[in-house]
């Protein structure tokens, strides 16, 4: 797949949602601990949905051996 850009945001879709997720939007249970699983799900859902709105297809993935491992705490 070709990675999609989002000209309005001046980023690629993956980069844009990675950064938003790391700021806390991906912390689904609001425990101030972002796991690899939460971040991966957030990126996959938002990038895929937004690419579809732009008439594109993009299905990203974030690979890890432990989805419950904490990626970042804030």
């Amino acid at each position: 797949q070709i990675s999609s850009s989002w000209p309005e945001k001046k980023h690629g879709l993956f980069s844009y949602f990675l950064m938003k997720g790391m700021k806390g939007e991906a912390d689904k249970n609001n425990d101030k601990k972002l796991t690899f699983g939460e971040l991966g799900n957030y990126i996959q859902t938002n990038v895929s949905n937004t690419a579809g709105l732009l008439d594109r297809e993009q299905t990203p993935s974030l690979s890890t051996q432990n989805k419950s491992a904490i990626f970042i705490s804030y």
Side-chain angles (χ1 to χ4, degrees):
Q1 292 177 336
I2 297 172
S3 62
S4 300
S5 65
W6 200 355
E8 297 163 6
K9 303 295 184 184
K10 299 181 182 177
H11 285 289
L13 293 180
F14 183 89
S15 300
Y16 178 76
F17 286 108
L18 172 65
M19 290 183 282
K20 285 188 71 85
M22 288 172 51
K23 285 183 176 181
E25 288 197 22
D27 184 13
K28 192 166 186 159
N29 61 0
N30 297 312
D31 65 354
K32 305 291 185 189
K33 296 175 187 171
L34 181 62
T35 65
F36 283 95
E38 287 174 320
L39 183 59
N41 291 338
Y42 177 82
I43 291 170
Q44 184 175 24
T45 299
N46 286 285
V47 169
S48 295
N49 290 344
T50 305
L53 293 173
L54 299 170
D55 285 331
R56 299 184 183 135
E57 186 176 326
Q58 187 173 345
T59 310
S61 63
L62 183 66
S63 298
T64 180
Q65 292 182 356
N66 183 357
K67 290 185 177 196
S68 62
I70 296 172
F71 178 77
I72 191 169
S73 295
Y74 52 97

